[in-house]
């Protein structure tokens, strides 16, 4: 996600026009800054070549400007403008003129003194101000900003729409605003602190105190551990990022101005935050190390146009108001800020301080806090909203594709399970088929299937022995070849010592029979006598052909694909 820094026109120009003769300066000077509220405009003498180590500046002001006779208080507040527009400037001569163009003051300012009046006496300024007198006020600092490098246009008394000046930010991925990241950045700006063993102890235990707690009571172990971790601590501090992203949720005021189409949501800004990481017992408080064991971050410079009024014309205003009302006027603010070192604060408690300069701010609302509210004018709002919706659509498309991939993988898995199950059933069915119709098949099993579909049969000798010993008959199923008939019945050719009694049997044929079995001694030998209830004649010992066997197997395994050749 790219970020841009926005500087909005409400900080540059108000609805009241300036009556200064700024247009006469355009040919020989370059405009550096202006403020309608303060009634001033600042030029660099020399046009595009105004920037020098010893520069010449002209400050034009209205007669009713609040800076009359204290114009020097302006320059410390616009130090950032000088840093951006002319970093090589060390000193500057300042000529102050009133609305009639009359020179009223002439003095010098210096970078070394924070752009306050230089130590030497100012020309035409008998009443030199003290450092306390020239301390800039907060409201003054907010009114001064950079301007585009185009020549200044004549001032016209009209309501101006917001204008955005964009600064491209480096393509660096921001990090989270966590205690660990803040500490590493503090060490980067204050590297001399790493000469303190107690600072090394604290930084090396930012993520976990376990190693430190294991060595701090033993002087030699602690020394060896510090030698081991110090290079890593130094490397991490050197590579620390100063670009941070973080979010807060605020309750905001909501009041819509129908004349200006501006939604007033009140003011909000993060306050100073303190970060500290300790080991909590033993020797792990770190209050006595070089940075006092803690780092503070102060947040400043948040543009008023981000946290007071937002331009929301027509239906956009209605939609924003409805969404805010639906969620109790809560918004989530996502900031992108660049942190820089301020220095060590030796007051109690001692700590190192970082300053956060805001680069970008995004305001979200709605039930999921995902509705982009912040914008600068209608075009910017539409562009931002379209960008947000494109991100939503992209996320939805990615989720849809992921769901399709999940379903496809699930279908593939289910198909594979079905394939494996089909192969297993095919193998079992084929095994049954081969056992019934293959070479060396047992005719009794085929006959039994043809007889009543039950492939099981009994040993008639076991039935005879059991029946004889218990004195009663038992059910029996057997595969027999019928022989000659005598006084007992049909004597079987196979198996031997079996007699069959009943009707419908023919000598020399094979039958599968079922009935009741008895055991009788005939001529001193135990015979099995079967009283036949049902007999199925077999043709040439084969009671079923291959088609019959296949039909039977398919009745047991409906999904069977058929016998393999």
């Amino acid at each position: 996600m790219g970020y841009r820094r926005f500087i909005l026109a409400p900080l540059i120009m108000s609805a009241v026009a300036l009556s200064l003769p700024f247009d006469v300066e355009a040919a020989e000077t370059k405009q550096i800054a202006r403020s309608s509220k303060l009634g001033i405009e600042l030029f660099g003498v020399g046009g595009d070549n105004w920037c020098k180590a010893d520069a010449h500046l002209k400050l034009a002001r209205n007669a009713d400007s609040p800076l009359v006779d204290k114009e020097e208080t302006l320059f410390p507040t616009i130090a950032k403008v000088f840093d951006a527009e002319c970093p090589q400037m060390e000193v500057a001569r300042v000529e102050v003129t009133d609305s009639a163009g009359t020179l009223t003051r002439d003095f010098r300012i210096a970078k070394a003194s924070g752009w306050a009046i230089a130590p030497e006496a100012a020309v035409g300024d008998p009443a030199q101000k003290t450092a306390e007198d020239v301390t800039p006020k907060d409201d003054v600092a907010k009114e001064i900003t950079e301007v585009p490098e185009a020549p200044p246009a004549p001032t016209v008394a009209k309501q101006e729409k917001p204008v955005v000046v964009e600064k491209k930010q480096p393509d660096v991925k921001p990090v989270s605003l966590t205690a660990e990241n803040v500490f590493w950045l503090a060490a980067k700006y204050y590297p001399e602190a790493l000469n303190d063993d107690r600072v090394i102890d604290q930084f090396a235990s930012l993520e976990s105190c376990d190693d430190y707690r294991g060595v701090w009571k033993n002087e030699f172990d602690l020394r060896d551990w510090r030698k081991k971790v110090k290079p890593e601590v130094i490397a991490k501090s050197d590579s620390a990022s100063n670009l941070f992203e973080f979010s807060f949720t605020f309750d905001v005021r909501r009041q819509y101005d129908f004349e200006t189409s501006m939604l007033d949501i009140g003011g909000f800004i993060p306050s100073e935050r303190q970060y500290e990481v300790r080991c909590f017992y033993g020797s792990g408080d770190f209050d006595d190390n070089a940075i006092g064991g803690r780092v503070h971050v102060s947040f400043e410079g948040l543009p008023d146009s981000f946290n007071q009024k937002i331009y929301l014309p027509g239906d956009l205003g209605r939609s924003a108001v409805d969404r805010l009302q639906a969620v109790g006027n809560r918004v989530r603010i996502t900031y992108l800020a660049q942190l820089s070192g301020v220095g060590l604060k030796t007051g109690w408690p001692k700590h190192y301080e970082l300053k956060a300069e805001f680069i970008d701010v995004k305001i979200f609302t709605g039930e999921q806090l995902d509705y982009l509210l912040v914008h600068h004018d209608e075009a910017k709002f539409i562009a931002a909203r379209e960008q947000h919706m494109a991100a939503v659509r992209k996320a939805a498309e990615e989720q849809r594709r992921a769901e399709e991939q999940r379903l496809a993988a699930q279908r593939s898995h289910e198909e594979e399970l079905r394939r494996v199950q089909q192969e297993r059933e095919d193998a079992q069915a084929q095994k049954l088929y081969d056992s019934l119709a293959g070479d060396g098949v047992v005719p009794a099993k085929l006959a039994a299937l043809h007889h009543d579909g039950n492939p099981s049969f009994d040993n008639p000798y076991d039935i005879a022995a059991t029946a004889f010993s218990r004195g009663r008959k038992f059910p029996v199923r057997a595969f027999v070849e019928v022989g000659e008939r005598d006084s007992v019945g049909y004597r079987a050719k196979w198996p031997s010592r079996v007699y069959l009694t009943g009707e419908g049997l023919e000598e020399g044929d094979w039958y599968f029979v079922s009935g009741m079995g008895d055991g009788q001694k005939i001529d001193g030998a135990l015979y099995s006598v079967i009283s036949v209830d049902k007999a199925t004649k077999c043709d040439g010992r084969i009671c079923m052909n291959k088609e019959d066997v296949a039909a039977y197997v398919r009745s047991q395994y409906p999904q069977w694909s058929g016998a393999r050749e």
Side-chain angles (χ1 to χ4, degrees):
M1 178 174 63
Y3 288 91
R4 295 176 175 174
R5 181 181 178 187
F6 299 93
I7 302 174
L8 293 100
L11 307 182
I12 301 174
M13 182 69 75
S14 71
V16 180
L18 295 174
S19 58
L20 299 176
F22 294 159
D23 52 326
V24 301
E25 298 286 347
E28 61 180 10
T29 62
K30 180 179 179 179
Q31 187 184 70
I32 301 172
R34 62 177 176 175
S35 170
S36 56
K37 181 177 179 180
L38 300 178
I40 58 93
E41 194 159 12
L42 181 65
F43 300 91
V45 178
D48 290 337
N49 298 319
W50 74 273
C51 179
K52 303 173 184 176
D54 188 353
H56 185 185
L57 306 176
K58 286 188 177 182
L59 179 67
R61 61 157 177 76
N62 276 336
D64 58 351
S65 169
L67 296 182
V68 173
D69 293 332
K70 52 181 180 180
E71 292 86 353
E72 68 279 7
T73 62
L74 168 68
F75 301 100
T77 69
I78 59 173
K80 292 179 183 178
V81 176
F82 290 160
D83 291 343
E85 298 291 331
C86 188
Q88 65 266 41
M89 184 170 66
E90 297 294 330
V91 294
R93 176 186 177 187
V94 180
E95 293 181 354
V96 181
T97 59
D98 59 16
S99 56
T102 303
L103 180 67
T104 61
R105 295 186 66 188
D106 187 350
F107 53 89
R108 296 179 67 81
I109 57 177
K111 184 177 184 178
S113 59
W115 297 116
I117 292 181
E120 63 269 18
V123 179
D125 185 24
Q128 180 98 10
K129 302 294 189 293
T130 65
E132 183 176 353
D133 292 334
V134 301
T135 300
K137 303 297 182 182
D138 290 344
D139 58 345
V140 174
K142 290 180 180 179
E143 286 298 320
I144 306 298
T145 186
E146 300 169 47
V147 297
E149 294 187 0
T155 302
V156 180
K158 66 177 182 179
Q159 179 76 27
E160 296 192 4
K161 291 185 177 180
V163 177
V164 178
V165 178
E166 301 177 351
K167 287 190 175 181
K168 185 177 182 180
Q169 296 301 318
D171 188 17
V172 178
K173 185 177 181 179
V175 298
S176 300
L177 192 68
T178 62
E180 289 80 2
N181 290 331
V182 167
F183 269 80
W184 291 122
L185 186 61
K188 182 175 184 177
Y189 282 111
Y190 189 35
E192 55 267 35
L194 298 179
N195 295 326
D196 184 345
D197 287 341
R198 294 285 287 151
V199 172
I200 298 298
D201 295 349
Q202 184 181 21
F203 277 61
S205 57
L206 284 175
E207 295 183 0
S208 172
C209 294
D210 293 345
D211 291 345
Y212 173 71
R213 287 170 178 162
V215 300
W216 77 273
K217 291 184 179 180
N218 185 299
E219 297 87 343
F220 288 91
D221 289 346
L222 181 58
R223 180 199 62 182
D224 294 341
W225 178 73
R226 284 171 176 162
K227 288 181 180 179
K228 176 184 175 183
V229 300
K230 187 170 183 177
E232 183 179 354
V233 170
I234 293 174
K236 282 190 175 182
S237 65
D238 288 342
S239 61
S241 173
N242 67 343
L243 198 63
F244 287 75
E245 185 176 62
F246 49 98
S247 298
F248 296 112
T249 300
F250 292 93
D251 292 322
V252 300
R253 180 179 61 197
R254 175 176 55 82
Q255 184 174 357
Y256 190 80
D257 188 333
F258 290 93
E259 292 185 3
T260 61
S261 298
M262 300 290 282
L263 177 66
D264 186 350
I265 58 175
F268 48 83
I269 189 170
S271 58
E272 181 175 297
R273 299 175 68 87
Q274 173 179 302
Y275 296 88
E276 51 185 314
V277 179
R278 303 174 179 277
C279 292
F280 295 108
Y281 67 82
S283 183
D285 288 335
F286 306 118
D287 287 334
D288 56 346
N289 72 22
I291 62 172
R294 58 182 59 81
V295 177
H296 289 195
V297 178
S298 60
F299 304 88
E300 59 186 54
L302 184 67
D304 286 346
S305 297
F306 280 120
N307 70 344
Q308 288 186 1
K309 295 183 179 181
I310 302 175
Y311 179 58
L312 283 164
D315 293 338
L316 298 176
R318 164 65 73 180
S319 177
V321 168
D322 289 346
R323 287 175 179 269
L324 282 168
Q325 182 177 359
V327 295
N329 299 319
R330 292 181 67 80
V331 296
R332 186 184 77 248
I333 317 299
T334 298
Y335 303 96
L336 180 71
Q338 185 169 294
L339 271 60
S340 57
V342 174
L344 186 66
K345 301 299 179 181
T346 56
W348 182 256
K350 181 174 71 173
H351 63 275
Y352 191 83
E353 186 164 324
L354 294 167
K355 177 180 66 176
E357 178 184 358
F358 291 95
I359 296 173
D360 195 11
V361 181
K362 288 181 170 58
I363 306 178
F364 299 85
T365 188
E367 291 183 0
Q368 305 299 325
L369 293 177
D370 62 354
Y371 180 88
L372 186 63
L373 181 67
V374 67
H375 62 285
H376 315 289
D377 57 24
E378 186 171 5
K380 287 288 182 180
F381 175 81
I382 294 173
R385 183 58 178 161
E386 288 179 349
Q387 181 181 8
H388 175 68
M389 292 307 298
V392 171
R393 288 192 295 270
K394 181 180 178 181
E397 178 64 19
E398 290 176 351
Q399 183 178 1
R400 184 189 65 78
R401 284 199 298 266
E403 181 65 14
E404 286 182 350
Q405 292 173 356
R406 185 190 68 79
L407 292 175
Q410 180 178 332
R411 286 192 296 269
S412 176
H413 178 66
E414 291 173 351
E415 289 174 359
E416 178 64 15
L417 290 178
R418 285 193 293 269
R419 185 190 65 79
V420 171
Q421 180 65 21
Q422 178 68 44
E423 288 182 352
R424 184 182 297 114
E425 290 190 3
D426 254 6
Q428 293 172 343
Q430 188 67 34
K431 183 178 180 181
L432 175 61
Y433 178 83
D434 293 341
S435 72
L436 297 176
D439 295 337
V441 67
V442 178
K445 187 177 289 187
L446 300 177
L449 291 172
H450 191 67
H451 179 70
D452 59 7
N454 184 352
S456 67
F457 57 95
D458 302 316
N459 185 334
Y461 301 135
D462 291 341
I463 297 296
T466 303
F468 184 80
S469 64
R470 296 187 182 182
R472 61 188 182 89
K473 297 181 179 181
F474 290 94
V476 62
R477 298 160 57 85
F479 185 58
V480 297
E481 182 182 9
V482 178
E484 294 179 354
R485 182 170 186 175
D486 59 19
S487 59
V488 178
Y490 292 96
R491 183 170 181 174
K493 291 182 180 180
W494 187 93
S496 61
R497 300 201 317 276
V498 173
Y499 272 95
L500 304 172
T501 63
E503 301 298 329
L505 300 175
E506 296 180 10
E507 296 179 6
D509 289 332
W510 287 86
Y511 289 88
F512 192 91
V513 299
S514 59
M516 298 300 290
D518 190 10
Q520 296 180 23
K521 281 192 175 184
I522 302 174
D523 297 333
L526 181 63
Y527 278 78
S528 175
V529 180
I530 302 175
S531 177
V532 177
D533 294 330
K534 181 179 179 182
T536 300
K537 183 178 179 180
C538 296
D539 183 12
R541 294 192 60 179
I542 303 298
C543 297
M544 298 178 72
N545 58 30
K546 288 188 176 182
E547 288 73 18
D548 295 329
V549 175
Y552 170 74
V553 172
R554 191 166 284 108
S555 70
Q556 304 300 309
Y557 298 95
Q559 302 301 321
W560 183 42
S561 58
R564 294 188 294 270
E565 293 296 331

